[in-house]
Amino acid sequence: DSGVTQTPKHLITATGQRVTLRCSPRSGDLSVYWYQQSLDQGLQFLIQYYNGEERAKGNILERFSAQQFPDLHSELNLSSLELGDSALYFCASSFGLAGAMDTQYFGPGTRLTVL
Amino acid sequence: AQKVTQAQTEISVVEKEDVTLDCVYETRDTTYYLFWYKQPPSGELVFLIRRNSFDEQNEISGRYSWNFQKSTSSFNFTITASQVVDSAVYFCALSEAPFGYGGSQGNLIFGKGTKLSVKP
């Protein structure tokens, strides 16, 4: 158990809908990262937050957004969902600002299925 | 650009065999970090090891060992006396630490993974 929690574990929804994925980092960690794992793209970095502020963006679509709250939990919002958004979404956390210097510990993931 | 290549898509071995998973990386930075993660069939990503670019010492942890060679930009992972529980997808990842890293990225660049099947 990495100490990172994600809810829900599974999510099934329809095209065009909006969903919210939630992540609680390990106790004491200030950085939260979101990654998407799909069969064709593999594991891809989406976005990073540090202590409530956005710090880095990767291949995140405009239909997706995220935020980190004062209690450090984070939410990833996916809207106007398409079939291709079906994937496993991971949240990771690390203590400091630069994940390179710290180890990122991953949550169990949320499996999103868009029908 | 940063890139991680895991040329072996799938490997199948019989229990107790030794197996080496290859990882080749590309980066222009002199300071960077390399990682291995394990993804068992249950789906979670489990951290195995982190190595920084200034430390080329090989590491051994039980049946696991890692061989980091900057000259060939490789960070290979060997499992000795493999067991069925080692069956998983293994990912190699790279992260760069830009000068004055404060405020900049630390995201991981992952390889495509190697699926290891250990048969009894």
Side-chain angles (χ1 to χ4, degrees):
Chain A
D1 186 346
S2 67
V4 179
T5 61
Q6 288 187 249
T7 56
K9 196 169 174 61
H10 301 278
L11 200 47
I12 301 174
T13 188
T15 54
Q17 295 298 305
R18 173 190 166 94
V19 297
T20 297
L21 313 184
R22 183 189 167 102
C23 167
S24 292
R26 294 187 320 156
S27 177
D29 283 358
L30 299 175
S31 272
V32 168
Y33 307 77
W34 286 97
Y35 291 83
Q36 179 194 59
Q37 185 179 28
S38 61
L39 280 174
D40 51 346
Q41 297 292 326
L43 268 160
Q44 295 218 316
F45 166 70
L46 296 179
I47 197 163
Q48 176 199 2
Y49 279 82
Y50 175 78
N51 205 19
E53 291 188 12
E54 182 186 304
R55 302 307 295 205
K57 260 185 172 178
N59 300 318
I60 188 166
L61 299 172
E62 283 191 17
R63 301 183 285 108
F64 296 0
S65 65
Q67 52 185 326
Q68 186 179 29
F69 295 86
D71 67 352
L72 300 177
H73 90 270
S74 178
E75 293 181 356
L76 178 67
N77 301 296
L78 315 177
S79 61
S80 303
L81 285 168
E82 301 174 0
L83 294 177
D85 298 327
S86 295
L88 189 51
Y89 291 84
F90 284 107
C91 167
S93 75
S94 69
F95 170 69
L97 180 60
M101 308 289 285
D102 307 314
T103 296
Q104 293 181 35
Y105 292 92
F106 283 75
T110 293
R111 183 166 295 282
L112 173 66
T113 303
V114 182
L115 301 175
Chain B
Q2 312 142 291
K3 188 179 176 183
V4 176
T5 302
Q6 294 180 255
Q8 305 148 308
T9 307
E10 290 193 44
I11 299 176
S12 182
V13 299
V14 176
E15 216 172 12
K16 296 184 184 170
E17 282 186 31
D18 298 347
V19 58
T20 295
L21 310 183
D22 298 333
C23 172
V24 174
Y25 61 91
E26 293 176 32
T27 177
R28 282 181 288 189
D29 274 11
T30 55
T31 303
Y32 52 89
Y33 294 78
L34 296 164
F35 302 78
W36 276 93
Y37 285 85
K38 173 183 179 179
Q39 187 173 38
S42 50
E44 73 272 24
L45 278 167
V46 179
F47 164 74
L48 295 178
I49 190 172
R50 182 185 75 187
R51 172 68 66 214
N52 75 56
S53 53
F54 297 110
D55 182 3
E56 287 194 72
Q57 258 192 326
N58 291 331
E59 179 152 343
I60 298 174
S61 175
R63 296 184 297 106
Y64 295 171
S65 62
W66 291 269
N67 184 345
F68 175 31
Q69 292 198 334
K70 276 177 91 166
S71 59
T72 56
S73 297
S74 65
F75 186 43
N76 297 336
F77 173 30
T78 297
I79 302 175
T80 302
S82 59
Q83 300 176 1
V84 173
V85 292
D86 296 326
S87 296
V89 180
Y90 291 87
F91 291 94
C92 180
L94 164 72
S95 187
E96 293 174 343
F99 177 77
Y101 65 89
S104 64
Q105 297 183 246
N107 57 283
L108 297 169
I109 308 296
F110 284 91
K112 294 290 188 187
T114 297
K115 182 177 181 180
L116 173 65
S117 298
V118 182
K119 301 190 187 312

